[in-house]
Amino acid sequence: MLIIPAIDLKDGQCVRLKQGLMDQVTVFSNSPGEQARHWLAQGARRLHVVDLDGAFAGKPKNERAIKQIVQAVGDDIPVQLGGGIRDLDTIERCLDDGVSYVIIGTAAVKNPGFLHDACGAFPGHIIVGLDARDGKVAVDGWSKMTGHDVIDLARKYEDYGVEAIIYTDIGRDGMLSGINVEATVKLAQALLIPVIASGGLSSLDDIQQLCAVEQEGISAAIAGRAIYDGSLDFASAQAAADRGTNP
């Protein structure tokens, strides 16, 4: 199982939010490129990058910082990017800049035709991010709840040809309260494509719990606040995940 470090971008800086609230922000680094190189040196095999300003604005806002990250890791590891990706031209530009996977969130819910077109135009490069609370999907940077059921939407997107689903329990994200393993497993069992767990990863115990259910279709977990504030050592986390995968 992969442990994927998250780099959240706001105003060109690396930050973390609590429960997606833009006024609950902690700045961890002023250099996205250096932060990317740090995680590469720690043994990261993929990076998860989110343009927070883009998620709220509906179009990319941190392109310079994103390019710095991609250039910093070069061809060593893939970068997956989300936040404000709402049209095919933006996807093409991201991929041309060296991003490996584009994450579509709000636009997948609001405009499923766009997601269908994206999967057809860029096969193998599209991931959907589903953010939910109590099984219902949130959009627009988590600021609006919908009545859509997570599993129903995920099954539809699987039919479109997406590579994976990133499932985030927004009630836990940035709170260090532990991954919602039960909900993540429930989603993974309903799909054939991989599910990437997100939201609340805080300890080696979380990783062990995920490894125990990895065979259900959970391929990775995104690590955020815990690896920045020191409560979880990334290298140890990935080593534990590797042991769990290959005991």
Side-chain angles (χ1 to χ4, degrees):
M1 177 180 291
L2 285 184
I3 307 300
I4 308 175
I7 299 179
D8 290 356
L9 300 171
K10 184 177 187 297
D11 300 326
Q13 299 175 311
C14 303
V15 306
R16 293 302 295 169
L17 306 183
K18 283 189 177 181
Q19 295 186 307
L21 299 174
M22 291 292 267
D23 60 351
Q24 297 287 317
V25 59
T26 302
V27 177
F28 285 100
S29 174
N30 293 315
S31 175
E34 287 184 11
Q35 191 63 63
R37 282 189 289 272
H38 169 75
W39 294 130
L40 179 63
Q42 291 290 308
R45 302 200 284 268
R46 183 183 292 199
L47 292 179
H48 175 78
V49 180
V50 179
D51 182 343
L52 294 171
D53 299 302
F56 282 85
K59 58 183 179 180
K61 290 289 188 178
N62 284 282
E63 291 183 86
R64 181 179 177 185
I66 293 163
K67 288 180 180 179
Q68 290 173 355
I69 290 169
V70 171
Q71 291 169 359
V73 299
D75 296 326
D76 291 329
I77 59 173
V79 173
Q80 59 189 44
L81 171 69
I85 298 171
R86 310 282 166 88
D87 59 67
L88 297 179
D89 287 342
T90 300
I91 295 175
E92 185 172 23
R93 189 165 67 249
C94 291
L95 296 177
D96 285 346
D97 286 342
V99 170
S100 298
Y101 303 98
V102 168
I103 304 162
I104 301 175
T106 292
V109 181
K110 290 188 170 182
N111 187 1
F114 159 61
L115 177 64
H116 188 274
D117 291 344
C119 290
F122 307 103
H125 295 283
I126 306 300
I127 294 173
V128 165
L130 286 178
D131 307 325
R133 179 181 281 118
D134 299 325
K136 299 300 181 182
V137 174
V139 295
D140 293 332
W142 304 353
S143 63
K144 298 177 183 176
M145 296 302 299
T146 75
H148 294 295
D149 181 80
V150 170
I151 291 177
D152 290 343
L153 279 186
R155 283 174 168 157
K156 180 166 72 172
Y157 301 156
E158 180 176 49
D159 290 341
Y160 289 175
V162 303
E163 280 293 291
I165 299 288
I166 297 173
Y167 174 69
T168 303
D169 183 327
I170 63 177
R172 301 193 181 206
D173 190 81
M175 302 302 290
L176 302 180
S177 56
I179 289 276
N180 189 336
V181 176
E182 181 181 359
T184 306
V185 168
K186 185 178 178 181
L187 177 61
Q189 289 174 333
L191 304 173
L192 295 177
I193 57 174
V195 170
I196 298 172
S198 176
L201 184 73
S202 62
S203 67
L204 293 178
D205 183 60
D206 289 332
I207 293 168
Q208 291 166 356
Q209 288 186 55
L210 287 170
C211 286
V213 294
E214 182 180 11
Q215 71 278 3
E216 302 292 348
I218 301 170
S219 64
I222 294 170
R225 178 172 291 272
I227 59 173
Y228 283 94
D229 69 10
S231 58
L232 180 65
D233 177 74
F234 173 78
S236 298
Q238 184 60 71
D242 290 340
R243 288 195 300 273
T245 306
N246 301 291

